[in-house]
Every structure is written in C-alpha cells, then in structure tokens.
Amino acid sequence: MNLTQKKDRIKLFKADQELPYHLLLLADETIEAIDKYIHDSEIYIYERDQKTIGIYACQLLDGESLEIKNIAVSEEYQGEGIGQKLLSHAISNATKRGFKNLMIGTSNAAFQQLYIYQKMGFRFHKVLKDFFTDNYKKEIVENGLVLNDMLLLKKDLQVEEVEVLQQS
Ligand code: ACO
C-alpha cells in the first residue's frame, strides 16, 4: 500500500457527535440560522484520514423533494473537487431513495457556487426576493455585492444518473 495515499470517505453523521459548526458557518452566516434546519436534516461528512473536512446537510421538503441546506469544505481543501463529490453523493443518494428532485439555494452574489451547482446539473427554479435582507439582521456583502435575493436551483433526478455518478 502507498503510505502517502489519503483515505477519503463520505459518511453519515451520527446524531450523538458534536456538530462541526466551524464548517457549517462557512456556508451560513450564524449559528442561529443553522439551528433552524440542522436538527431535522440528514447530514453527511467528508473525512480525510478520519478528519472531517467537508459537510452537507439535506432537509426533506416533501415526499418528492430534498433540499441541500448547507454544503461546505474546509478552506484549506477547497478547489480539490470535494464540493463536487459531496454534490454527486447527494444526487445519487436522493435518486436511489426515489426522490424526484433535489433543490439548493444560494445568494445573488455567490458566483462560484452558482457555477458549481449548474455544472452539476442544477437549473434555476425560483428567486426568493429579499430573502437575505428579510432574514438576517445585518447587511451581508459578498464579492462586492450586498446579498438580497436567494436563488433556488433544482435538479430533476433520474435513475440512470446513479450509475454515471458511481462510475466517476
Ligand atoms: N468563480 C467561478 N468558479 C470558481 C471560482 C470563482 N471565483 N473559484 C473556483 N471556481 C471553480 C473551480 O475552478 C472549480 O471548478 P472546476 O472543477 O470546473 O475547475 C470549482 O469552482 C470548485 O469545485 P470544487 O473543488 O469541487 O469545490 P470545493 O471543494 O471548493 O467546494 C464549496 C465548493 C462547497 C462551495 C466550497 O468552496 C465552500 O465550502 N465554500 C464556502 C461555503 C459555501 O459558500 N457553501 C455554499 C453555500 S450555499 C449552501 O450551503 C446551500
């Protein structure tokens, strides 16, 4: 075995473990906001050599849809493809379980996120106007823009996709 080889895996987060807020806070502004969805979300973590370096949390919307409420990769590991692996995992997991679509929301200023989500097959679905100005006490600026609208993207799930994602 190559001793320098890294051991990566995505696994279900156990309810008795301490929530890694330091990661969740990369994707959301406050613990208060995270606490609104995290306790009834299914959470998966990305581990490298047993260290948690990525996370995503999915919430059930109805019998047909799930929403990824939070996805984050530790800053020092961003840009390696881990975010896309987490999205692939969420897509194939939701597809295998018979969900018809997967949603994900982000801000008007989140250019990188909008790029990755579209690259992974998500399409624009809805604009929640003034979501950030209405729901957060302080003004938030990202990429030089004030966050105002939430863009909700949706991916229709098809069974054949599971096989493609599992091979990649
Ligand atoms: N603009 C456009 N694309 C960019 C930019 C940029 N400024 N910077 C990097 N990219 C591209 C890269 O080239 C790469 O694309 P490629 O594979 O085609 O070359 C892609 O973005 C990065 O892909 P990954 O490496 O798979 O992504 P990463 O592991 O960094 O994870 C994530 C992405 C989760 C968004 C991570 O950067 C992160 O944790 N960011 C902070 C938290 C966050 O914003 N989370 C999402 C909030 S929305 C929500 O949680 C529902």
Side-chain angles (χ1 to χ4, degrees):
M1 191 180 86
N2 177 359
L3 290 177
T4 58
Q5 203 177 337
K6 300 178 186 93
K7 264 203 193 157
D8 288 8
R9 62 177 178 159
I10 297 174
K11 68 175 200 187
L12 188 63
F13 178 81
K14 291 202 197 101
D16 59 350
Q17 287 172 277
E18 206 173 311
L19 278 167
Y21 280 107
H22 66 286
L23 284 177
L24 296 164
L25 280 165
L26 295 173
D28 211 333
E29 293 303 312
T30 61
I31 290 184
E32 192 189 1
I34 293 167
D35 278 343
K36 286 190 185 150
Y37 54 78
I38 203 70
H39 303 291
D40 58 5
S41 293
E42 191 169 81
I43 304 166
Y44 284 88
I45 52 173
Y46 192 102
E47 276 189 354
R48 173 165 296 166
D49 298 332
Q50 295 178 344
K51 181 179 169 201
T52 302
I53 59 169
I55 192 160
Y56 76 86
C58 261
Q59 197 179 43
L60 187 69
L61 293 182
D62 53 48
E64 295 198 334
S65 320
L66 283 175
E67 180 175 345
I68 300 176
K69 301 292 288 187
N70 189 307
I71 178 163
V73 174
S74 205
E75 271 158 346
E76 57 183 304
Y77 301 100
Q78 287 176 12
E80 280 189 25
I82 295 173
Q84 288 166 73
K85 282 187 189 149
L86 288 169
L87 287 168
S88 292
H89 185 274
I91 293 165
S92 68
N93 199 14
T95 308
K96 277 191 261 176
R97 290 160 67 187
F99 288 98
K100 296 246 165 59
N101 48 67
L102 185 61
M103 319 286 281
I104 192 159
T106 195
S107 80
N108 54 298
F111 308 130
Q112 184 202 1
Q113 291 79 346
L114 288 168
Y115 163 75
I116 298 172
Y117 303 157
Q118 290 178 84
K119 192 178 165 196
M120 297 301 295
F122 288 84
R123 303 278 303 270
F124 288 100
H125 179 58
K126 255 188 207 166
V127 178
L128 307 180
K129 276 192 88 78
D130 300 315
F131 177 90
F132 291 94
T133 30
D134 289 349
N135 285 285
Y136 292 83
K137 288 178 192 143
K138 280 194 193 154
E139 183 178 271
I140 310 163
V141 178
E142 209 177 284
N143 293 322
L145 284 179
V146 173
L147 303 203
N148 45 41
D149 305 329
M150 158 89 83
L151 305 173
L152 203 56
L153 292 89
K154 175 174 155 184
K155 180 169 172 68
D156 293 324
L157 304 173
Q158 284 144 15
V159 178
E160 311 86 69
E161 196 145 20
V162 175
E163 287 158 24
V164 177
L165 289 167
Q166 279 174 345
Q167 283 159 17
S168 60

